[in-house]
Amino acid sequence: MKKENKGNLLAFLSFIVVYTLILLPIRKGIGNYWDWQFPYFQENIKNYFLYKYTAWTSLNLGSPLSYNSDYIFRGLISIINIKPEILLLTIILFIVSIGSLGAFIICRKNNSKTIISFILALIAFVNPTIFYKLLAGHIDYLVSYTIFIYFLLFIIYKYDNSLKSSIIAGLIFAFIGVQIQFFIFAFIFLLIFMLINYKTFKKKNLFIILLIVLLINSFWLTNFLLGVNNISEISNNANIISFKDSSQSELINIFTLQFSKATQIYRIYNEDLYPIFFISFLSVSLIIGLLNIKNKNNLSLFIFLSIVIFLGTGTFNKFNIWPLSIFHPIFRESGHFAPMILISLTLMLSFVNFKKKIFNSVFVFIIILFLILNSYIYINNYPTIDFTKSRGSFNNFNALGNLDNTLYRILTYPFFTEYSFLDQGKKEMDGFILSNSGYDSYITYSGKDSINNYVSLYNFNQSIQYFFIKSGYSTENLIKYNIKYIYDFSDIYESNYEKYVPAETYENNLSLIKNDPNFMNKIIQNNKDKVTLIVPHIIKLNNFLPRAFSNSTSFRNLNPTKYNLYVKDLKETQNLSFLESYHKDWKLYLVKNPSSSWCNPLEFYNNTQTTECEHTQKFFEGEELSYLYKKPIFDDTHQMILDYANGWTINPQYIKDNYSKDYYTTNPDGSIDIEFVMYFLPQSYFYIGLIISGTTLILCIGYLIYDWRKSKKQKSEAKSNTL
């Protein structure tokens, strides 16, 4: 093993040891704060991927798949079957250790001394901006941040304008977007590097790099390319739910590494002491950058730093001009730029090489002190949560979920998110909660669909939960949403919704959002014979509507985008209802040689004369691409029903008049039996995208193997000729 490789291996092992000590407080779990969401149960880890792995997701009332650039990352995580808290700790430990190794290698190549390189590589992940990401649960961001470091390493030190280099750069770039903002960051840096090295950089290689990025990510982009998702609507929604002070940041806050108020850095770090070190850190970096401006690599970092500082101010979002406005949701939170500023400064610091020893000693003292102070903050301020306790709280609910395999939705109480576990402590400062206040991770990854309790302040009085309370807890309006169970988590959670929205949002009435000890009793008393108390804290709605229904119909779900339906004894025109959010791309396709042999009955619903059959998990059956050219049936009758869902009118006479007898079975009374596939058509394009992505990846890897073998052969021949 080469000396350099031995040094890198030793550094990596050292990083693991240091980070194990720093991350020790989260060994029992981290989360239930801000954007943190992760399964509590080992058997639910697979749902980390399955809850949005197709072009349509059944979350809440169903919607097209949105930004999902972390698709592959989620897929990899979901196949690891160990305790969730151990898995989460391992993921974080690996990310920060391998990321620090990349920063260490860059610093060493910048002629920094080994010990300084090691400290700077630790600072790349032990600083206020990365702590903010850990606090907020932005694991995707940390993955992309690590990949970005290796992208910088390759572009600055390895890229040689060859096809091989362009393919490697394209592959790194393609996977950098686990957090979507990094596509923009990587493009900005690549453009800067290309312009600075315009005499040697081949313009066609930029096309190759970007083409690889586009092709590998084509599968999750299909919903946007086809207009299935409206980018402007996503932009508006993103701006609605973002923190009030998240989009803008004063320069002074950037220079003290506090950024916008949404980062909460200013709440964690001492307002008097830490800015001194932050400003010192920034000042030294800028001085070194200016002194080494002739170095093209340092110049690239300096220009990149200047651009991300500008973007970090939020000024960009003031330019409400298309196509710039498309990127507003991506750049809505200035804290996303914070780590980019820090990594640029850190790598620029690796150019430090004072002639006088005293200056070098002072510099080392400052960065060590910076590292120690930040390590102290990390160790004492993680949003820790005990996963074992959490599992104990949800055991009964999880057991019921495992027993009932029908397709239904759950309404969970307390309503409105930002939940705190009642049996686990929380930190507060000036009335603001700094831990144990977040989303309901259990229900998200339970494998069961539920009504979303994350209700923005703008939609509060339009929410299902609000109407339920205002109706006197009548379940009549819940039935149409395919809600089968109401789970009462009031012995587990309390909502902190009032901490995040103005009082007028909830009509200055805390009883709307705080735990009501009589909640379950009120439901039972106001819905006699309509609900059943299954076990304490779980109510069943007796007359709930199945996910799909029509007279004498059987149905099963294969995946979120595909259903089989069998309709018997169809004699007159009748309606077919599908209780997911209306979308024009839900289609019905008549099946040849109709049969219900696939139906293994689970439950029969008297109220709709519908049979729900045993569901399967089939991602792809092979026929899905044919729907791109097959004509759907009854598309002209497809309409919104129940104010949100899908409905069709089925006409047996139309089928007899327009289809051969292969498509229906005639009964003695003149009625017919038919079979449908109900399908979300964009899923076919999703499959095509996956084929394109996989083919591109295989071709790229194949070429790299070919090039490696060719190079190895040439070296061997050259060595033989020398001998």
Side-chain angles (χ1 to χ4, degrees):
M1 185 183 291
K2 292 182 180 179
K3 184 177 180 181
E4 181 182 357
N5 292 337
K6 286 183 179 179
N8 292 341
L9 178 58
L10 180 60
F12 177 64
L13 295 175
S14 301
F15 288 133
I16 290 177
V17 172
V18 173
Y19 284 126
T20 298
L21 296 175
I22 294 175
L23 295 170
L24 201 59
I26 68 170
R27 64 192 181 280
K28 291 184 179 180
I30 182 172
N32 198 52
Y33 187 67
W34 210 323
D35 290 335
W36 271 108
Q37 289 191 82
F38 203 76
Y40 294 130
F41 289 88
Q42 188 170 332
E43 65 263 32
N44 291 342
I45 289 175
K46 63 181 182 297
N47 297 326
Y48 191 66
F49 174 67
L50 291 178
Y51 86 116
K52 51 177 186 178
Y53 76 113
T54 55
W56 180 269
T57 171
S58 293
L59 291 173
N60 197 25
L61 297 175
S63 63
L65 186 68
S66 185
Y67 297 131
N68 200 29
S69 54
D70 62 351
Y71 189 89
I72 296 173
F73 172 66
R74 285 181 175 274
L76 293 173
I77 296 304
S78 68
I79 62 177
I80 304 174
N81 192 27
I82 58 177
K83 278 189 174 183
E85 58 268 39
I86 302 300
L87 175 57
L88 202 47
L89 175 60
T90 304
I91 292 169
I92 297 171
L93 179 60
F94 179 77
I95 290 170
V96 296
S97 298
I98 201 72
S100 286
L101 176 62
F104 174 79
I105 295 171
I106 293 176
C107 291
R108 290 293 291 134
K109 288 184 178 293
N110 289 342
N111 297 317
S112 179
K113 294 180 180 178
T114 302
I115 186 63
I116 292 177
S117 296
F118 186 80
I119 297 169
L120 290 176
L122 286 171
I123 287 175
F125 283 87
V126 185
N127 63 68
T129 68
I130 296 300
F131 179 74
Y132 149 58
K133 292 300 177 184
L134 277 172
L135 187 71
H138 297 166
I139 294 298
D140 284 359
Y141 192 102
L142 296 181
V143 173
S144 288
Y145 180 73
T146 292
I147 299 173
F148 182 75
I149 289 172
Y150 283 90
F151 182 73
L152 295 179
L153 172 61
F154 184 80
I155 293 296
I156 294 174
Y157 292 105
K158 302 287 186 180
Y159 187 77
D160 62 7
N161 265 314
S162 66
L163 178 58
K164 172 188 171 183
S165 276
S166 298
I167 289 174
I168 295 174
L171 288 173
I172 300 173
F173 197 157
F175 292 106
I176 210 169
V178 173
Q179 179 80 24
I180 197 167
Q181 287 85 356
F182 278 83
F183 285 128
I184 308 297
F185 297 150
F187 178 74
I188 290 172
F189 185 82
L190 184 61
L191 202 59
I192 292 169
F193 182 83
M194 184 186 77
L195 293 174
I196 289 175
N197 298 277
Y198 70 94
K199 290 183 178 179
T200 56
F201 193 96
K202 295 178 182 177
K203 309 301 182 292
K204 69 176 183 179
N205 288 343
L206 179 63
F207 172 77
I208 293 172
I209 293 170
L210 296 180
L211 182 63
I212 291 172
V213 174
L214 180 62
L215 293 178
I216 287 182
N217 288 279
S218 60
F219 63 95
W220 67 266
L221 285 170
T222 53
N223 274 5
F224 295 98
L225 296 174
L226 295 170
V228 177
N229 263 331
N230 187 299
I231 294 178
S232 62
E233 286 182 5
I234 291 173
S235 175
N236 290 334
N237 291 336
N239 288 326
I240 285 172
I241 65 175
S242 60
F243 283 99
K244 179 182 177 182
D245 299 309
S246 67
S247 62
Q248 294 191 0
S249 181
E250 300 292 336
L251 281 174
I252 186 62
N253 291 332
I254 291 177
F255 292 155
T256 57
L257 303 186
Q258 296 180 67
F259 297 88
S260 72
K261 290 184 179 180
T263 64
Q264 307 307 322
I265 291 173
Y266 75 102
R267 296 183 187 274
I268 303 294
Y269 284 77
N270 185 287
E271 61 181 357
D272 298 319
L273 178 61
Y274 284 92
I276 296 173
F277 293 104
F278 298 162
I279 291 173
S280 300
F281 188 79
L282 179 68
S283 301
V284 173
S285 302
L286 292 177
I287 291 169
I288 298 304
L290 292 171
L291 289 175
N292 291 277
I293 208 75
K294 291 183 180 179
N295 183 297
K296 287 186 176 181
N297 297 335
N298 196 48
L299 178 60
S300 298
L301 289 170
F302 185 79
I303 295 173
F304 179 74
L305 170 65
S306 303
I307 292 173
V308 291
I309 285 178
F310 166 73
L311 292 173
T313 64
T315 305
F316 172 84
N317 283 357
K318 293 180 180 179
F319 298 99
N320 195 23
I321 305 170
W322 192 92
L324 295 180
S325 58
I326 291 175
F327 298 101
H328 286 181
I330 297 176
F331 291 153
R332 71 184 183 274
E333 213 284 79
S334 65
H336 288 318
F337 300 97
M340 293 294 94
I341 294 172
L342 221 300
I343 190 62
S344 301
L345 294 173
T346 303
L347 297 180
M348 286 166 62
L349 278 175
S350 64
F351 287 94
V352 168
N353 190 12
F354 294 109
K355 292 182 180 180
K356 292 188 177 181
K357 194 173 182 180
I358 184 65
F359 291 154
N360 274 320
S361 298
V362 171
F363 170 68
V364 172
F365 173 77
I366 290 173
I367 61 175
I368 289 177
L369 186 58
F370 183 84
L371 178 63
I372 292 172
L373 289 171
N374 279 280
S375 298
Y376 176 81
I377 291 292
Y378 273 50
I379 291 169
N380 289 281
N381 290 280
Y382 290 118
T384 54
I385 208 78
D386 190 324
F387 274 41
T388 302
K389 275 188 178 181
S390 301
R391 283 192 291 273
S393 299
F394 293 112
N395 267 329
N396 290 338
F397 300 98
N398 206 52
L400 175 65
N402 291 335
L403 289 173
D404 190 340
N405 294 316
T406 59
L407 207 58
Y408 56 84
R409 292 191 177 92
I410 301 166
L411 182 66
T412 62
Y413 182 81
F415 302 143
F416 315 113
T417 193
E418 302 305 330
Y419 297 122
S420 292
F421 281 101
L422 294 172
D423 63 347
Q424 303 196 43
K426 62 182 177 183
K427 299 177 185 176
E428 291 192 47
M429 179 183 290
D430 301 325
F432 191 88
I433 303 173
L434 293 174
S435 68
N436 191 15
S437 179
Y439 295 109
D440 182 357
S441 286
Y442 165 68
I443 205 67
T444 299
Y445 298 112
S446 64
K448 302 298 181 182
D449 299 332
S450 63
I451 301 298
N452 189 4
N453 271 334
Y454 181 38
V455 179
S456 76
L457 59 94
Y458 298 96
N459 295 322
F460 183 85
N461 60 5
Q462 300 298 318
S463 65
I464 294 170
Q465 297 89 337
Y466 176 84
F467 282 118
F468 179 55
I469 295 172
K470 286 295 186 177
S471 71
Y473 302 94
S474 170
T475 59
E476 285 298 318
N477 197 49
L478 299 182
I479 291 172
K480 69 178 184 179
Y481 295 112
N482 182 228
I483 295 172
K484 186 175 185 178
Y485 296 107
I486 298 175
Y487 285 1
D488 176 19
F489 294 156
S490 59
D491 282 355
I492 301 171
Y493 285 140
E494 67 172 346
S495 172
N496 301 298
Y497 193 71
E498 78 281 4
K499 301 277 189 180
Y500 301 90
V501 300
E504 54 266 27
T505 301
Y506 49 89
E507 302 172 356
N508 291 288
N509 183 2
L510 282 173
S511 67
L512 290 176
I513 57 177
K514 303 306 285 186
N515 291 8
D516 182 352
N518 295 314
F519 174 74
M520 297 294 272
N521 288 334
K522 287 179 180 178
I523 296 175
I524 294 170
Q525 290 169 6
N526 288 286
N527 298 276
K528 291 183 178 179
D529 300 323
K530 295 179 182 178
V531 299
T532 302
L533 184 67
I534 304 297
V535 294
H537 304 293
I538 299 177
I539 281 176
K540 178 184 176 183
L541 277 63
N542 296 332
N543 292 315
F544 91 105
L545 295 175
R547 188 67 56 93
F549 60 89
S550 188
N551 289 337
S552 303
T553 298
S554 303
F555 79 95
R556 73 166 177 175
N557 168 254
L558 290 93
N559 63 57
T561 67
K562 191 176 182 183
Y563 291 75
N564 292 129
L565 298 100
Y566 187 80
V567 183
K568 293 193 305 179
D569 304 324
L570 181 62
K571 198 169 187 177
E572 304 291 339
T573 296
Q574 66 185 50
N575 295 324
L576 169 65
S577 302
F578 176 50
L579 303 187
E580 300 239 353
S581 295
Y582 174 83
H583 198 286
K584 63 181 179 61
D585 287 321
W586 278 105
K587 307 292 183 182
L588 290 177
Y589 297 94
L590 205 57
V591 177
K592 264 188 176 183
N593 304 314
S595 169
S596 61
S597 58
W598 44 261
C599 181
N600 183 15
L602 274 177
E603 188 165 340
F604 178 73
Y605 302 93
N606 277 311
N607 55 348
T608 61
Q609 294 297 297
T610 300
T611 301
E612 183 169 358
C613 308
E614 189 174 303
H615 305 293
T616 62
Q617 283 288 340
K618 291 185 178 179
F619 180 68
F620 183 67
E621 288 192 300
E623 65 184 18
E624 287 82 357
L625 296 182
S626 68
Y627 298 131
L628 291 172
Y629 54 84
K630 282 185 178 179
K631 185 179 179 181
I633 191 170
F634 303 130
D635 213 31
D636 58 333
T637 71
H638 186 198
Q639 61 181 326
M640 183 184 291
I641 60 170
L642 302 174
D643 298 322
Y644 82 98
N646 298 268
W648 291 265
T649 300
I650 304 172
N651 186 339
Q653 193 58 49
Y654 179 86
I655 295 173
K656 291 178 181 179
D657 292 343
N658 292 277
Y659 287 84
S660 70
K661 291 185 178 181
D662 292 337
Y663 286 91
Y664 59 90
T665 302
T666 305
N667 299 313
D669 62 355
S671 64
I672 60 173
D673 299 344
I674 54 174
E675 183 181 358
F676 291 119
V677 166
M678 184 166 59
Y679 185 63
F680 187 59
L681 187 57
Q683 180 67 13
S684 293
Y685 294 100
F686 189 85
Y687 292 130
I688 292 174
L690 281 174
I691 293 169
I692 292 171
S693 301
T695 302
T696 303
L697 184 60
I698 291 169
L699 289 174
C700 288
I701 294 174
Y703 179 83
L704 293 177
I705 293 173
Y706 163 77
D707 185 84
W708 172 75
R709 293 184 65 180
K710 181 181 177 182
S711 177
K712 186 178 179 182
K713 183 179 179 182
Q714 289 174 344
K715 287 180 181 179
S716 178
E717 289 175 352
K719 187 176 181 181
S720 299
N721 292 335
T722 303
L723 295 174

